[in-house]
Amino acid sequence: MKQQFTRRNLLTTLTGVLAGLATWPVARTAKAAVQKFFVSTQAPGGYDPTKHKWLMAIDVDRCIGCGLCVEACKKENNVPEGESYFRTWIERYTITKPKAGSGETRGEVFVDSPNGGIHGFPPNTIPKDQILKSFFVPKLCNLCQHSPCSQVCPVGATFDTPDGAVLVDPKYCIGCGFCVQACPYGCRFLNPITKTAEKCSLCYHRITRGLLPACVEVCPGQARIFGDLKNLSPDDPIQRFFESNKAQSLKPHLGTGPRVLYAELDKEVR
Ligand code: SF4
Ligand code: SF4
């Protein structure tokens, strides 16, 4: 039967079409997001990101600057060779004694990180009697809860996961480098081979299979502590970290809400 087009049924038809147009992309986007999550995160099927909340803690006092974590990370994640490419690295801070009569409590601050600390550190060039304090600080993506990198990515290639990671999907990344500029911690780089953005993924392919991140596994001094806030055991290392330390974060004034927390962080660490 030929349909009679009145003003009323034309409006109804248009409303239906518009509603369909409005819901179709939403449904499609939601489905794509779910697919993207599981494909791009390399999580095994059956892994439920809503049942975990990952967290990394670093006890600066325990880091000996050996660089084994940097080496393990490079191998595990196929990070390119070269001084500019690290997903994690170690910085050595050296604070000198104040000049006599200056009235200050400390002198100058020097930071070095030869090749990211991958081969350890040579002896300090500053004479021992001038050093007030020297220590090593492991650095990596801070897993920001309010991640500036995700906010600037024009194509959604960088995204936050429900279990506390911040990841990059190289299939979507267009290599614009906005995220590299936006990260206030200098944690990202453009991979010279893939031309896509890279940073610490928390070894997502490992942790979703019950393994530790590579850097945590090899750390001889247990300076790196890793855990799941939603599945804490009674004697969990993360639990012990919080019981015995005052947790601090890098650049707290920026409001990024890091999920990488530190103990014994000197105020000079940036
Ligand atoms: S530390 Fe940098 S790369 Fe990591 S989540 Fe924060 S802004 Fe992004
Ligand atoms: S480099 Fe890639 S991940 Fe970074 S902002 Fe551009 S598209 Fe997004």
Side-chain angles (χ1 to χ4, degrees):
M1 191 174 70
K2 198 173 172 187
Q3 190 170 357
Q4 292 266 313
F5 269 98
T6 62
R7 214 171 109 99
R8 190 191 179 105
N9 67 21
L10 183 61
L11 271 177
T12 311
T13 308
L14 272 176
T15 308
V17 169
L18 287 175
L21 281 175
T23 55
W24 180 71
V26 170
R28 204 178 58 149
T29 307
K31 192 174 168 213
V34 170
Q35 277 172 350
K36 188 171 119 179
F37 178 82
F38 283 105
V39 175
S40 65
T41 60
Q42 305 171 341
Y47 173 76
D48 184 349
T50 63
K51 298 217 161 92
H52 303 272
K53 196 57 91 179
W54 305 112
L55 188 126
M56 173 87 85
I58 293 172
D59 188 341
V60 171
D61 268 1
R62 286 176 166 266
C63 179
I64 56 172
C66 64
L68 290 176
C69 51
V70 183
E71 192 182 7
C73 171
K74 278 227 181 197
K75 280 190 187 145
E76 179 71 29
N77 296 295
N78 208 15
V79 177
E81 291 297 317
E83 295 246 354
S84 312
Y85 311 120
F86 297 100
R87 287 182 172 209
T88 187
W89 69 99
I90 310 293
E91 292 174 357
R92 173 169 61 185
Y93 278 72
T94 306
I95 304 171
T96 59
K97 291 177 183 167
K99 288 205 174 84
S102 68
E104 303 289 336
T105 53
R106 2 175 100 194
E108 289 182 85
V109 180
F110 298 90
V111 184
D112 67 336
S113 180
N115 203 3
I118 195 166
H119 303 305
F121 287 74
N124 214 319
T125 51
I126 299 167
K128 257 193 188 146
D129 61 350
Q130 291 178 24
I131 297 175
L132 178 73
K133 195 177 179 188
S134 182
F135 52 90
F136 300 102
V137 184
K139 296 269 185 88
L140 66 155
C141 166
N142 287 271
L143 307 172
C144 304
Q145 292 173 58
H146 315 290
S147 51
C149 56
S150 304
Q151 287 163 28
V152 299
C153 179
V155 293
T158 276
F159 58 102
D160 304 341
T161 62
D163 51 4
V166 178
L167 301 176
V168 184
D169 187 332
K171 290 189 299 304
Y172 285 72
C173 177
I174 55 172
C176 66
F178 288 176
C179 58
V180 178
Q181 298 295 324
C183 172
Y185 301 99
C187 294
R188 290 180 168 243
F189 61 91
L190 284 181
N191 184 309
I193 298 152
T194 62
K195 315 284 187 210
T196 57
E198 244 194 80
K199 65 162 203 84
C200 166
S201 65
L202 215 48
C203 280
Y204 204 76
H205 58 290
R206 290 174 59 92
I207 61 174
T208 50
R209 288 169 172 80
L211 300 170
L212 289 172
C215 62
V216 177
E217 192 167 82
V218 299
C219 180
Q222 294 175 342
R224 293 176 183 248
I225 303 144
F226 180 74
D228 179 358
L229 288 182
K230 286 196 177 172
N231 296 283
L232 288 176
S233 57
D235 196 28
D236 202 283
I238 281 285
Q239 187 109 313
R240 276 187 271 128
F241 173 86
F242 283 115
E243 280 164 9
S244 15
N245 296 291
K246 182 174 170 280
Q248 299 156 276
S249 62
L250 293 176
K251 303 186 183 180
H253 60 283
L254 296 180
T256 52
R259 273 180 292 240
V260 172
L261 299 171
Y262 287 82
E264 307 299 337
L265 203 56
D266 190 278
K267 67 180 169 62
E268 303 293 353
V269 178
R270 320 180 261 272

